[in-house]
Amino acid sequence: LIPADTELSPRDETVPAWADVPPEKQKLFVRYMETYAAMLDAVDQNIGRLVAMLNDMGELDNTIIVLSSDNGGTSGGGPNGVVYFNRHFAGLPALPVSHDMEHKDLIGTGKVAAMYPMGWAQVSNTPFSAYKTYTAGGGRRVSLLVSWPKRIHDEGAVRSQFVHVTDVMPTLLELAGVPHPAISHGKPSMPMQGVSFAPALFAAAAQPARNEQYFECWSNRAIYRDGWIAVSLQKRGDPINFDNWTLHQHATDFSESKNLATAYPQ
């Protein structure tokens, strides 16, 4: 999945190295990631149950399954994580990490809505940099798996065409042979923003369906065009910097670790 010549993006210096985390705090951090891993395992097992049911029904071969993820691991838990993350949404201050260390056994019980430390988000987003809500690879680039045994025969093959989440619906409509409805709830329906990537599902060498996409989240911006990705990340609390773009070659720099903005100012 990751090209062999990929360079690891620089680590976030605000995240402490694991060896520098005190042993008692490590136990708290481990509990967060164990719970996260258990949640992923539960998803995996239940997808397996769904696939098994479709197989028993004789419908698996002609069922299109699309699996993707949210936009990258989040740094919302801060450097230490938060046992009672809902305090943030209630406008209440976070409790000291000493409190969380004493109550770490609550994590994963359903009695609290915990959030893992941002170091685990950095691990989860490797080899990309940054986090959810940022427009660098760690907050923008995610996995997309598509299965359709009846029509897609090169199982496990990797596609390199650029696609965006808005492309999923027009792709499914095309595969199902269903036209986009002109009327919705008695009113003209809004046009779809995406384009179908169906050809790429059947031919690894198919031309990309789109060549451009703009991203923005909380003043972080990025634009993809014709194999290039330009990224502008902001530091919260500082004035927006409209000119701090970095430039990367999407096809050859998987982790976006090489900034070519100076070499290619045009």
Side-chain angles (χ1 to χ4, degrees):
L1 294 179
I2 300 175
D5 60 352
T6 300
E7 292 186 14
L8 189 62
S9 58
R11 66 185 301 272
D12 185 347
E13 295 181 355
T14 66
V15 176
W18 181 253
D20 297 333
V21 178
E24 285 304 309
K25 192 181 285 188
Q26 283 187 354
K27 294 179 182 179
L28 170 65
F29 287 9
V30 165
R31 178 74 179 204
Y32 282 114
M33 199 59 185
E34 285 177 337
T35 303
Y36 187 48
M39 293 173 66
L40 290 177
D41 181 64
V43 171
D44 188 30
Q45 291 190 45
N46 283 284
I47 291 173
R49 292 174 63 198
L50 174 61
V51 170
M53 183 191 72
L54 290 168
N55 189 54
D56 291 342
M57 295 169 58
E59 296 289 350
L60 180 60
D61 281 352
N62 198 34
T63 298
I64 303 168
I65 299 175
V66 180
L67 181 66
S68 190
S69 70
D70 196 359
N71 48 342
T74 178
S75 59
N80 294 312
V82 184
V83 170
Y84 292 99
F85 190 60
N86 282 345
R87 290 178 63 88
H88 169 76
F89 299 106
L92 299 173
L95 296 171
V97 67
S98 58
H99 172 278
D100 289 353
M101 291 168 65
E102 294 174 2
H103 295 82
K104 66 178 182 297
D105 290 344
L106 291 175
I107 301 171
T109 64
K111 295 180 179 179
V112 297
M115 179 62 73
Y116 52 74
M118 60 192 297
W120 290 128
Q122 179 174 245
V123 170
S124 300
N125 294 337
T126 302
F128 306 118
S129 65
Y131 310 95
K132 177 179 179 178
T133 74
Y134 293 90
T135 51
R140 192 196 70 250
R141 194 165 184 174
V142 299
S143 302
L144 174 67
L145 295 90
V146 181
S147 170
W148 189 10
K150 184 177 181 179
R151 294 286 309 278
I152 303 175
H153 302 301
D154 55 343
E155 181 179 346
V158 178
R159 300 291 189 259
S160 60
Q161 291 87 346
F162 181 91
V163 299
H164 187 252
V165 65
T166 53
D167 300 333
V168 172
M169 176 58 78
T171 302
L172 293 177
L173 290 178
E174 179 179 335
L175 296 178
V178 177
H180 179 242
I183 302 296
S184 176
H185 298 83
K187 297 180 180 180
S189 60
M190 296 177 63
M192 288 188 293
Q193 299 298 311
V195 291
S196 172
F197 58 83
L201 297 177
F202 308 118
Q207 289 297 309
R210 65 159 68 238
N211 69 332
E212 187 174 34
Q213 177 63 42
Y214 177 70
F215 304 84
E216 183 172 345
C217 186
W218 292 356
S219 300
N220 298 301
R221 295 160 294 153
I223 185 167
Y224 170 85
R225 182 186 294 165
D226 295 328
W228 296 88
I229 183 81
V231 180
S232 173
L233 304 181
Q234 307 302 317
K235 185 177 181 180
R236 293 178 188 175
D238 289 355
I240 297 174
N241 187 336
F242 289 99
D243 300 312
N244 67 339
W245 294 92
T246 61
L247 180 67
H248 313 275
Q249 283 189 312
H250 195 265
T252 59
D253 183 13
F254 186 83
S255 59
E256 299 171 21
S257 59
K258 303 180 182 69
N259 179 16
L260 303 177
T262 301
Y264 299 96
Q266 72 278 19

mmCIF file of all heavy atoms in Angstrom, residues 66-71 140-144 161-172 192-197 210 212-215:
data_model
loop_
_atom_site.group_PDB
_atom_site.id
_atom_site.type_symbol
_atom_site.label_atom_id
_atom_site.label_comp_id
_atom_site.label_asym_id
_atom_site.label_seq_id
_atom_site.Cartn_x
_atom_site.Cartn_y
_atom_site.Cartn_z
ATOM 1 N N VAL A 66 -18.364 -0.719 -0.194
ATOM 2 C CA VAL A 66 -17.431 0.409 -0.182
ATOM 3 C C VAL A 66 -17.080 0.717 1.271
ATOM 4 O O VAL A 66 -17.970 0.911 2.094
ATOM 5 C CB VAL A 66 -18.040 1.658 -0.843
ATOM 6 C CG1 VAL A 66 -17.047 2.822 -0.830
ATOM 7 C CG2 VAL A 66 -18.469 1.344 -2.272
ATOM 8 N N LEU A 67 -15.807 0.726 1.582
ATOM 9 C CA LEU A 67 -15.357 0.994 2.949
ATOM 10 C C LEU A 67 -14.309 2.098 2.923
ATOM 11 O O LEU A 67 -13.301 1.997 2.226
ATOM 12 C CB LEU A 67 -14.764 -0.269 3.578
ATOM 13 C CG LEU A 67 -14.268 -0.145 5.023
ATOM 14 C CD1 LEU A 67 -15.428 0.118 5.967
ATOM 15 C CD2 LEU A 67 -13.519 -1.400 5.440
ATOM 16 N N SER A 68 -14.563 3.167 3.663
ATOM 17 C CA SER A 68 -13.584 4.243 3.781
ATOM 18 C C SER A 68 -13.527 4.668 5.242
ATOM 19 O O SER A 68 -14.112 4.020 6.119
ATOM 20 C CB SER A 68 -13.954 5.423 2.869
ATOM 21 O OG SER A 68 -12.889 6.355 2.816
ATOM 22 N N SER A 69 -12.839 5.761 5.518
ATOM 23 C CA SER A 69 -12.676 6.191 6.900
ATOM 24 C C SER A 69 -12.916 7.679 7.025
ATOM 25 O O SER A 69 -13.054 8.401 6.035
ATOM 26 C CB SER A 69 -11.260 5.858 7.390
ATOM 27 O OG SER A 69 -10.316 6.697 6.746
ATOM 28 N N ASP A 70 -12.960 8.121 8.266
ATOM 29 C CA ASP A 70 -13.023 9.551 8.544
ATOM 30 C C ASP A 70 -11.701 10.185 8.108
ATOM 31 O O ASP A 70 -10.770 9.502 7.705
ATOM 32 C CB ASP A 70 -13.266 9.750 10.047
ATOM 33 C CG ASP A 70 -13.719 11.150 10.402
ATOM 34 O OD1 ASP A 70 -13.829 11.984 9.486
ATOM 35 O OD2 ASP A 70 -13.960 11.410 11.594
ATOM 36 N N ASN A 71 -11.617 11.503 8.199
ATOM 37 C CA ASN A 71 -10.464 12.189 7.610
ATOM 38 C C ASN A 71 -9.273 12.275 8.562
ATOM 39 O O ASN A 71 -8.841 13.338 8.980
ATOM 40 C CB ASN A 71 -10.868 13.598 7.148
ATOM 41 C CG ASN A 71 -11.644 14.359 8.219
ATOM 42 O OD1 ASN A 71 -12.172 13.775 9.149
ATOM 43 N ND2 ASN A 71 -11.718 15.667 8.085
ATOM 44 N N ARG A 140 -6.272 14.423 5.271
ATOM 45 C CA ARG A 140 -6.982 14.481 3.987
ATOM 46 C C ARG A 140 -6.986 13.150 3.249
ATOM 47 O O ARG A 140 -7.956 12.824 2.571
ATOM 48 C CB ARG A 140 -6.283 15.540 3.118
ATOM 49 C CG ARG A 140 -7.009 15.960 1.859
ATOM 50 C CD ARG A 140 -6.087 16.682 0.885
ATOM 51 N NE ARG A 140 -5.111 15.775 0.291
ATOM 52 C CZ ARG A 140 -3.811 15.791 0.554
ATOM 53 N NH1 ARG A 140 -3.294 16.680 1.379
ATOM 54 N NH2 ARG A 140 -2.999 14.904 -0.019
ATOM 55 N N ARG A 141 -5.941 12.376 3.374
ATOM 56 C CA ARG A 141 -5.802 11.175 2.553
ATOM 57 C C ARG A 141 -6.183 9.936 3.369
ATOM 58 O O ARG A 141 -5.616 9.682 4.436
ATOM 59 C CB ARG A 141 -4.358 11.052 2.048
ATOM 60 C CG ARG A 141 -4.202 10.039 0.930
ATOM 61 C CD ARG A 141 -2.865 10.226 0.219
ATOM 62 N NE ARG A 141 -2.753 9.320 -0.916
ATOM 63 C CZ ARG A 141 -1.750 9.348 -1.783
ATOM 64 N NH1 ARG A 141 -0.775 10.227 -1.649
ATOM 65 N NH2 ARG A 141 -1.721 8.496 -2.788
ATOM 66 N N VAL A 142 -7.146 9.167 2.875
ATOM 67 C CA VAL A 142 -7.648 8.017 3.627
ATOM 68 C C VAL A 142 -7.758 6.794 2.719
ATOM 69 O O VAL A 142 -7.661 6.889 1.504
ATOM 70 C CB VAL A 142 -9.040 8.314 4.245
ATOM 71 C CG1 VAL A 142 -8.962 9.485 5.207
ATOM 72 C CG2 VAL A 142 -10.073 8.594 3.162
ATOM 73 N N SER A 143 -7.979 5.668 3.348
ATOM 74 C CA SER A 143 -8.151 4.419 2.613
ATOM 75 C C SER A 143 -9.526 4.372 1.958
ATOM 76 O O SER A 143 -10.489 4.934 2.474
ATOM 77 C CB SER A 143 -8.011 3.225 3.560
ATOM 78 O OG SER A 143 -6.764 3.241 4.206
ATOM 79 N N LEU A 144 -9.604 3.703 0.819
ATOM 80 C CA LEU A 144 -10.876 3.456 0.143
ATOM 81 C C LEU A 144 -10.818 2.054 -0.442
ATOM 82 O O LEU A 144 -9.982 1.764 -1.294
ATOM 83 C CB LEU A 144 -11.129 4.480 -0.961
ATOM 84 C CG LEU A 144 -12.371 4.233 -1.821
ATOM 85 C CD1 LEU A 144 -13.637 4.409 -0.999
ATOM 86 C CD2 LEU A 144 -12.406 5.177 -3.029
ATOM 87 N N GLN A 161 -5.409 6.253 -9.058
ATOM 88 C CA GLN A 161 -6.143 7.423 -9.546
ATOM 89 C C GLN A 161 -6.629 8.279 -8.365
ATOM 90 O O GLN A 161 -7.001 7.756 -7.315
ATOM 91 C CB GLN A 161 -7.354 6.996 -10.390
ATOM 92 C CG GLN A 161 -7.001 6.363 -11.719
ATOM 93 C CD GLN A 161 -6.761 4.874 -11.613
ATOM 94 O OE1 GLN A 161 -6.605 4.339 -10.513
ATOM 95 N NE2 GLN A 161 -6.718 4.186 -12.739
ATOM 96 N N PHE A 162 -6.630 9.576 -8.566
ATOM 97 C CA PHE A 162 -7.119 10.497 -7.535
ATOM 98 C C PHE A 162 -8.645 10.482 -7.538
ATOM 99 O O PHE A 162 -9.276 10.661 -8.578
ATOM 100 C CB PHE A 162 -6.618 11.921 -7.814
ATOM 101 C CG PHE A 162 -7.062 12.927 -6.786
ATOM 102 C CD1 PHE A 162 -6.282 13.202 -5.676
ATOM 103 C CD2 PHE A 162 -8.279 13.584 -6.920
ATOM 104 C CE1 PHE A 162 -6.702 14.123 -4.722
ATOM 105 C CE2 PHE A 162 -8.700 14.508 -5.978
ATOM 106 C CZ PHE A 162 -7.910 14.769 -4.880
ATOM 107 N N VAL A 163 -9.237 10.245 -6.375
ATOM 108 C CA VAL A 163 -10.691 10.326 -6.240
ATOM 109 C C VAL A 163 -11.012 11.092 -4.960
ATOM 110 O O VAL A 163 -10.182 11.195 -4.049
ATOM 111 C CB VAL A 163 -11.368 8.937 -6.202
ATOM 112 C CG1 VAL A 163 -11.098 8.167 -7.481
ATOM 113 C CG2 VAL A 163 -10.928 8.146 -4.988
ATOM 114 N N HIS A 164 -12.228 11.626 -4.910
ATOM 115 C CA HIS A 164 -12.697 12.390 -3.746
ATOM 116 C C HIS A 164 -13.977 11.742 -3.247
ATOM 117 O O HIS A 164 -14.685 11.058 -3.995
ATOM 118 C CB HIS A 164 -12.946 13.848 -4.155
ATOM 119 C CG HIS A 164 -13.262 14.751 -3.013
ATOM 120 N ND1 HIS A 164 -14.530 15.250 -2.794
ATOM 121 C CD2 HIS A 164 -12.487 15.241 -2.020
ATOM 122 C CE1 HIS A 164 -14.514 16.011 -1.718
ATOM 123 N NE2 HIS A 164 -13.287 16.023 -1.224
ATOM 124 N N VAL A 165 -14.308 11.971 -1.988
ATOM 125 C CA VAL A 165 -15.470 11.312 -1.393
ATOM 126 C C VAL A 165 -16.763 11.623 -2.159
ATOM 127 O O VAL A 165 -17.684 10.796 -2.219
ATOM 128 C CB VAL A 165 -15.604 11.694 0.100
ATOM 129 C CG1 VAL A 165 -15.903 13.178 0.264
ATOM 130 C CG2 VAL A 165 -16.657 10.843 0.792
ATOM 131 N N THR A 166 -16.834 12.803 -2.776
ATOM 132 C CA THR A 166 -18.041 13.146 -3.530
ATOM 133 C C THR A 166 -18.191 12.301 -4.789
ATOM 134 O O THR A 166 -19.253 12.313 -5.416
ATOM 135 C CB THR A 166 -18.027 14.634 -3.925
ATOM 136 O OG1 THR A 166 -16.790 14.929 -4.591
ATOM 137 C CG2 THR A 166 -18.162 15.525 -2.706
ATOM 138 N N ASP A 167 -17.150 11.549 -5.155
ATOM 139 C CA ASP A 167 -17.214 10.710 -6.352
ATOM 140 C C ASP A 167 -17.896 9.369 -6.084
ATOM 141 O O ASP A 167 -18.221 8.645 -7.036
ATOM 142 C CB ASP A 167 -15.802 10.451 -6.894
ATOM 143 C CG ASP A 167 -15.071 11.730 -7.264
ATOM 144 O OD1 ASP A 167 -15.743 12.715 -7.585
ATOM 145 O OD2 ASP A 167 -13.827 11.733 -7.207
ATOM 146 N N VAL A 168 -18.104 9.013 -4.824
ATOM 147 C CA VAL A 168 -18.644 7.692 -4.505
ATOM 148 C C VAL A 168 -20.079 7.546 -5.011
ATOM 149 O O VAL A 168 -20.425 6.544 -5.650
ATOM 150 C CB VAL A 168 -18.560 7.423 -2.992
ATOM 151 C CG1 VAL A 168 -19.287 6.134 -2.635
ATOM 152 C CG2 VAL A 168 -17.106 7.354 -2.540
ATOM 153 N N MET A 169 -20.931 8.538 -4.744
ATOM 154 C CA MET A 169 -22.335 8.417 -5.151
ATOM 155 C C MET A 169 -22.503 8.300 -6.666
ATOM 156 O O MET A 169 -23.194 7.380 -7.136
ATOM 157 C CB MET A 169 -23.155 9.579 -4.609
ATOM 158 C CG MET A 169 -24.614 9.578 -5.056
ATOM 159 S SD MET A 169 -25.502 8.065 -4.598
ATOM 160 C CE MET A 169 -25.812 8.391 -2.872
ATOM 161 N N PRO A 170 -21.913 9.183 -7.488
ATOM 162 C CA PRO A 170 -22.076 8.997 -8.937
ATOM 163 C C PRO A 170 -21.502 7.677 -9.440
ATOM 164 O O PRO A 170 -22.010 7.105 -10.404
ATOM 165 C CB PRO A 170 -21.359 10.208 -9.543
ATOM 166 C CG PRO A 170 -20.511 10.777 -8.469
ATOM 167 C CD PRO A 170 -21.183 10.433 -7.181
ATOM 168 N N THR A 171 -20.466 7.166 -8.776
ATOM 169 C CA THR A 171 -19.919 5.873 -9.157
ATOM 170 C C THR A 171 -20.931 4.765 -8.898
ATOM 171 O O THR A 171 -21.176 3.904 -9.761
ATOM 172 C CB THR A 171 -18.619 5.584 -8.380
ATOM 173 O OG1 THR A 171 -17.668 6.616 -8.638
ATOM 174 C CG2 THR A 171 -18.031 4.236 -8.768
ATOM 175 N N LEU A 172 -21.539 4.770 -7.718
ATOM 176 C CA LEU A 172 -22.520 3.736 -7.379
ATOM 177 C C LEU A 172 -23.750 3.815 -8.273
ATOM 178 O O LEU A 172 -24.302 2.788 -8.670
ATOM 179 C CB LEU A 172 -22.918 3.854 -5.906
ATOM 180 C CG LEU A 172 -21.816 3.524 -4.895
ATOM 181 C CD1 LEU A 172 -22.314 3.752 -3.476
ATOM 182 C CD2 LEU A 172 -21.333 2.091 -5.066
ATOM 183 N N MET A 192 -24.855 16.784 -8.628
ATOM 184 C CA MET A 192 -23.796 16.138 -7.866
ATOM 185 C C MET A 192 -22.463 16.805 -8.154
ATOM 186 O O MET A 192 -22.164 17.176 -9.287
ATOM 187 C CB MET A 192 -23.733 14.647 -8.209
ATOM 188 C CG MET A 192 -24.894 13.853 -7.656
ATOM 189 S SD MET A 192 -24.678 12.060 -7.860
ATOM 190 C CE MET A 192 -24.770 11.938 -9.643
ATOM 191 N N GLN A 193 -21.649 16.950 -7.111
ATOM 192 C CA GLN A 193 -20.342 17.574 -7.266
ATOM 193 C C GLN A 193 -19.291 16.584 -7.757
ATOM 194 O O GLN A 193 -18.268 16.983 -8.305
ATOM 195 C CB GLN A 193 -19.894 18.166 -5.925
ATOM 196 C CG GLN A 193 -20.819 19.242 -5.384
ATOM 197 C CD GLN A 193 -20.899 20.444 -6.297
ATOM 198 O OE1 GLN A 193 -19.868 20.958 -6.730
ATOM 199 N NE2 GLN A 193 -22.104 20.881 -6.585
ATOM 200 N N GLY A 194 -19.537 15.295 -7.550
ATOM 201 C CA GLY A 194 -18.537 14.302 -7.894
ATOM 202 C C GLY A 194 -18.673 13.775 -9.305
ATOM 203 O O GLY A 194 -19.618 14.098 -10.035
ATOM 204 N N VAL A 195 -17.704 12.955 -9.693
ATOM 205 C CA VAL A 195 -17.715 12.277 -10.994
ATOM 206 C C VAL A 195 -17.412 10.795 -10.759
ATOM 207 O O VAL A 195 -16.702 10.431 -9.827
ATOM 208 C CB VAL A 195 -16.686 12.893 -11.967
ATOM 209 C CG1 VAL A 195 -17.102 14.287 -12.376
ATOM 210 C CG2 VAL A 195 -15.295 12.923 -11.342
ATOM 211 N N SER A 196 -17.944 9.950 -11.608
ATOM 212 C CA SER A 196 -17.796 8.510 -11.433
ATOM 213 C C SER A 196 -16.361 8.057 -11.708
ATOM 214 O O SER A 196 -15.748 8.453 -12.698
ATOM 215 C CB SER A 196 -18.753 7.774 -12.371
ATOM 216 O OG SER A 196 -18.491 6.384 -12.348
ATOM 217 N N PHE A 197 -15.851 7.212 -10.816
ATOM 218 C CA PHE A 197 -14.542 6.585 -11.048
ATOM 219 C C PHE A 197 -14.697 5.110 -11.399
ATOM 220 O O PHE A 197 -13.760 4.304 -11.231
ATOM 221 C CB PHE A 197 -13.617 6.762 -9.834
ATOM 222 C CG PHE A 197 -14.133 6.221 -8.522
ATOM 223 C CD1 PHE A 197 -14.000 4.890 -8.195
ATOM 224 C CD2 PHE A 197 -14.733 7.069 -7.608
ATOM 225 C CE1 PHE A 197 -14.466 4.387 -6.983
ATOM 226 C CE2 PHE A 197 -15.202 6.593 -6.388
ATOM 227 C CZ PHE A 197 -15.065 5.249 -6.074
ATOM 228 N N ARG A 210 -11.173 12.771 -12.470
ATOM 229 C CA ARG A 210 -11.083 14.195 -12.137
ATOM 230 C C ARG A 210 -9.618 14.608 -12.061
ATOM 231 O O ARG A 210 -8.746 13.792 -11.782
ATOM 232 C CB ARG A 210 -11.765 14.500 -10.802
ATOM 233 C CG ARG A 210 -11.102 13.846 -9.604
ATOM 234 C CD ARG A 210 -11.457 14.533 -8.291
ATOM 235 N NE ARG A 210 -12.855 14.356 -7.938
ATOM 236 C CZ ARG A 210 -13.687 15.386 -7.735
ATOM 237 N NH1 ARG A 210 -13.252 16.620 -7.856
ATOM 238 N NH2 ARG A 210 -14.933 15.171 -7.386
ATOM 239 N N GLU A 212 -8.862 17.853 -10.512
ATOM 240 C CA GLU A 212 -8.754 19.004 -9.617
ATOM 241 C C GLU A 212 -9.712 18.852 -8.439
ATOM 242 O O GLU A 212 -10.826 18.345 -8.585
ATOM 243 C CB GLU A 212 -9.079 20.294 -10.380
ATOM 244 C CG GLU A 212 -8.837 21.571 -9.569
ATOM 245 C CD GLU A 212 -9.035 22.814 -10.438
ATOM 246 O OE1 GLU A 212 -9.898 22.780 -11.339
ATOM 247 O OE2 GLU A 212 -8.347 23.811 -10.203
ATOM 248 N N GLN A 213 -9.264 19.268 -7.248
ATOM 249 C CA GLN A 213 -10.128 19.279 -6.074
ATOM 250 C C GLN A 213 -9.572 20.263 -5.048
ATOM 251 O O GLN A 213 -8.374 20.262 -4.765
ATOM 252 C CB GLN A 213 -10.221 17.879 -5.437
ATOM 253 C CG GLN A 213 -11.055 17.826 -4.169
ATOM 254 C CD GLN A 213 -12.510 18.185 -4.420
ATOM 255 O OE1 GLN A 213 -13.096 17.748 -5.411
ATOM 256 N NE2 GLN A 213 -13.101 18.979 -3.533
ATOM 257 N N TYR A 214 -10.457 21.083 -4.484
ATOM 258 C CA TYR A 214 -10.068 22.050 -3.460
ATOM 259 C C TYR A 214 -10.526 21.554 -2.093
ATOM 260 O O TYR A 214 -11.587 20.953 -1.964
ATOM 261 C CB TYR A 214 -10.711 23.413 -3.758
ATOM 262 C CG TYR A 214 -10.431 24.472 -2.709
ATOM 263 C CD1 TYR A 214 -9.158 25.002 -2.571
ATOM 264 C CD2 TYR A 214 -11.447 24.943 -1.876
ATOM 265 C CE1 TYR A 214 -8.889 25.964 -1.616
ATOM 266 C CE2 TYR A 214 -11.195 25.916 -0.928
ATOM 267 C CZ TYR A 214 -9.913 26.418 -0.798
ATOM 268 O OH TYR A 214 -9.662 27.369 0.156
ATOM 269 N N PHE A 215 -9.714 21.813 -1.065
ATOM 270 C CA PHE A 215 -10.027 21.424 0.308
ATOM 271 C C PHE A 215 -9.888 22.638 1.217
ATOM 272 O O PHE A 215 -9.002 23.470 1.030
ATOM 273 C CB PHE A 215 -9.056 20.348 0.817
ATOM 274 C CG PHE A 215 -8.983 19.107 -0.031
ATOM 275 C CD1 PHE A 215 -8.161 19.065 -1.152
ATOM 276 C CD2 PHE A 215 -9.719 17.981 0.299
ATOM 277 C CE1 PHE A 215 -8.067 17.920 -1.921
ATOM 278 C CE2 PHE A 215 -9.632 16.831 -0.466
ATOM 279 C CZ PHE A 215 -8.816 16.794 -1.585
#
